[in-house]
Amino acid sequence: MTISETDRRAAVTFGRLAGERGMPVTTCPYPVQGDDRQRALRLLWMRTYVRHSSGA
């Protein structure tokens, strides 16, 4: 399993934007039951989302 730099940047960027804009966590574009690559990107997206969300 390899994650390209482009995929990694996309997950971080969109996770940050979703968190900053107060979007629901369910907007994550990566499926829960995806393959290893998709699960890794989902984890990256979630961590970034939580870091940048207001927690409200």
Side-chain angles (χ1 to χ4, degrees):
M1 172 195 67
T2 59
I3 297 174
S4 72
E5 184 64 20
T6 302
D7 287 341
R8 188 193 69 74
R9 285 183 184 177
V12 169
T13 299
F14 294 125
R16 179 180 53 81
L17 289 173
E20 289 175 350
R21 293 177 180 174
M23 298 171 76
V25 73
T26 56
T27 61
C28 180
Y30 305 103
V32 174
Q33 305 239 340
D35 59 17
D36 291 343
R37 180 185 155 280
Q38 291 170 327
R39 287 196 309 260
L41 289 169
R42 183 177 182 85
L43 179 61
L44 186 57
W45 189 96
M46 293 283 188
R47 286 181 177 172
T48 306
Y49 174 88
V50 168
R51 188 176 310 127
H52 292 279
S53 67
S54 65

